[in-house]
Amino acid sequence: TMLYAERWQDAKDAADSVFKLQVYSLTDKYEDAFKGGNSESILEYNYLVTGPNHTFDNDYVPYGDMDNDGGKGCPTQEMVESYELATTGGYPDWTPWHNTTTGTTDTPPYAQLEPRFHASVLYNGCEWKGRALEPYVSGKDGYAVYDDGSALNGRTTTGYYLRKMLNEGYTDYSKACTQPWIAIRLAEVILNHAEACYMLGADGANDDLRQIRERVGLPYSNKSGEALMAAIRQERKIELYCEGHHYWDMRRWKLAHTAYSGQNSRVHGLKIEKQGAEFIYTYVDCDRKDRLFEEKLYRIPLPETELSNNSAVKQFPEWL
């Protein structure tokens, strides 16, 4: 909340107060941070089969698990390309897979990517519940063209499925889901602290980022200025993927109107077709229309009922 309010000292103090407790620590493995009762979990919601419970797995598992359901949120190619190379850091060259005409039979460099990718994204050929994932045309997990009029029925439109936070041991889809929701965890607090330190011109941000990256075996060298802020943004995007932060971070950083507008804002995927023993990967547009985020959307307009009930309140000028 203090980050959104740009009350940087309060944000730093809040994070420091958590660190001083010496109660929480990052889990050894990234994927363990989403299991209930782990060392990193600060606030979590727990569920029971008898209730309260949820349907997260039913909504997000691959089509091949549910048969005509699932796949309601598929990672994009842009997100996949945001992950760095394991151990060395840096990014692979994805140019060969951006061919939108004939595609390529080259296997994407999934195996080379860092642990957070493998804990977050299901991709062609990866192991899932004792089998190899088949997110290709006519494969077990299927593929569907976005917005062409056909029913998706849980099939991926990007060539990927979500893995993060799914329960791999959950196979009886007639039962409710009970895995916990980790609402606040130490990694987020560390990243909040890093941003607050940067905004205050205080030391600490580089050490925070190094701590986050060391868990997944990625190198880090100290940065300053805009390069440091860019590194903070990148780590928040990757570390907190699918935890409900990135869209709102982009709003508070005032970057949404450029990132989410125009043709460059479209998201993409890989259409995968099996041909004999080979796979053809073709880069595809998964939006088919340009997005638009106007600057005035950074501030939500006051409701007409509020304006009618309170004569001392005036509508924000951008919404007049």
Side-chain angles (χ1 to χ4, degrees):
T1 301
M2 296 300 99
L3 290 182
Y4 282 89
E6 298 184 357
R7 291 166 54 177
W8 310 117
Q9 188 62 54
D10 288 334
K12 182 178 182 298
D13 291 345
D16 283 332
S17 69
V18 174
F19 303 152
K20 288 176 183 177
L21 292 173
Q22 296 185 331
V23 172
Y24 307 103
S25 60
L26 294 179
T27 57
D28 291 337
K29 295 181 178 180
Y30 176 72
E31 56 266 33
D32 290 342
F34 310 101
K35 299 176 181 178
N38 69 74
S39 65
E40 188 172 336
S41 176
I42 297 173
L43 175 64
E44 67 180 60
Y45 295 90
N46 291 295
Y47 301 90
L48 301 169
V49 172
T50 55
N53 48 51
H54 57 86
T55 61
F56 188 83
D57 275 272
N58 302 60
D59 292 335
Y60 290 94
V61 293
Y63 170 84
D65 286 12
M66 281 292 287
D67 191 14
N68 294 322
D69 204 355
K72 290 184 171 62
C74 296
T76 64
Q77 186 63 29
E78 282 76 9
M79 188 64 207
V80 170
E81 293 182 21
S82 296
Y83 288 95
E84 295 181 56
L85 293 164
T87 308
T88 62
Y91 302 92
D93 179 9
W94 285 91
T95 305
W97 293 274
H98 286 197
N99 190 331
T100 59
T101 53
T102 58
T104 179
T105 56
D106 292 345
T107 301
Y110 302 134
Q112 303 172 39
L113 299 180
E114 56 131 313
R116 290 178 292 188
F117 166 76
H118 294 281
S120 302
V121 179
L122 291 169
Y123 57 91
N124 187 37
C126 75
E127 184 177 341
W128 173 247
K129 296 186 178 180
R131 65 182 179 87
L133 198 78
E134 300 181 1
Y136 50 83
V137 176
S138 299
K140 180 178 177 63
D141 299 292
Y143 171 84
V145 177
Y146 174 72
D147 198 28
D148 70 345
S150 61
L152 302 180
N153 295 331
R155 293 173 295 168
T156 178
T157 59
T158 65
Y160 304 101
Y161 287 98
L162 183 68
R163 183 172 210 151
K164 188 175 182 179
M165 298 179 289
L166 291 180
N167 178 3
E168 194 163 349
Y170 179 68
T171 56
D172 185 350
Y173 297 101
S174 66
K175 295 181 179 179
C177 304
T178 59
Q179 68 263 41
W181 168 255
I182 311 299
I184 303 175
R185 61 187 180 95
L186 183 61
E188 179 196 342
V189 177
I190 293 171
L191 290 168
N192 292 348
H193 185 264
E195 187 170 343
C197 286
Y198 173 83
M199 292 298 183
L200 291 167
D203 293 334
N206 280 301
D207 289 340
D208 291 332
L209 295 184
R210 183 173 291 105
Q211 185 179 359
I212 293 293
R213 291 172 64 87
E214 279 182 348
R215 169 168 54 183
V216 292
L218 288 176
Y220 183 75
S221 57
N222 283 1
K223 297 173 177 58
S224 61
E226 182 53 37
L228 177 55
M229 188 62 211
I232 292 170
R233 289 171 179 152
Q234 170 67 8
E235 286 306 310
R236 285 189 70 89
K237 178 181 180 180
I238 297 300
E239 178 70 25
L240 305 178
Y241 173 56
C242 256
E243 295 179 50
H245 293 282
H246 187 61
Y247 170 75
W248 298 101
D249 284 344
M250 292 293 283
R251 287 178 65 114
R252 66 184 180 81
W253 291 328
K254 301 297 187 292
L255 297 175
H257 70 285
T258 53
Y260 302 146
S261 292
Q263 188 168 357
N264 290 336
S265 69
R266 295 188 184 193
V267 298
H268 299 80
L270 292 180
K271 177 182 179 181
I272 309 169
E273 299 169 277
K274 190 172 185 179
Q275 190 174 79
E278 292 186 320
F279 292 100
I280 301 174
Y281 296 86
T282 306
Y283 193 65
V284 291
D285 182 344
C286 295
D287 271 334
R288 300 168 71 120
K289 291 181 181 179
D290 294 349
R291 299 184 181 203
L292 175 63
F293 187 106
E294 298 181 89
E295 288 190 67
K296 67 179 183 179
L297 293 173
Y298 288 127
R299 191 154 59 174
I300 298 171
L302 295 172
E304 290 295 331
T305 51
E306 185 66 22
L307 297 172
S308 300
N309 292 336
N310 189 345
S311 60
V313 173
K314 293 183 179 180
Q315 184 60 273
F316 299 125
E318 62 267 39
W319 287 100
L320 293 174

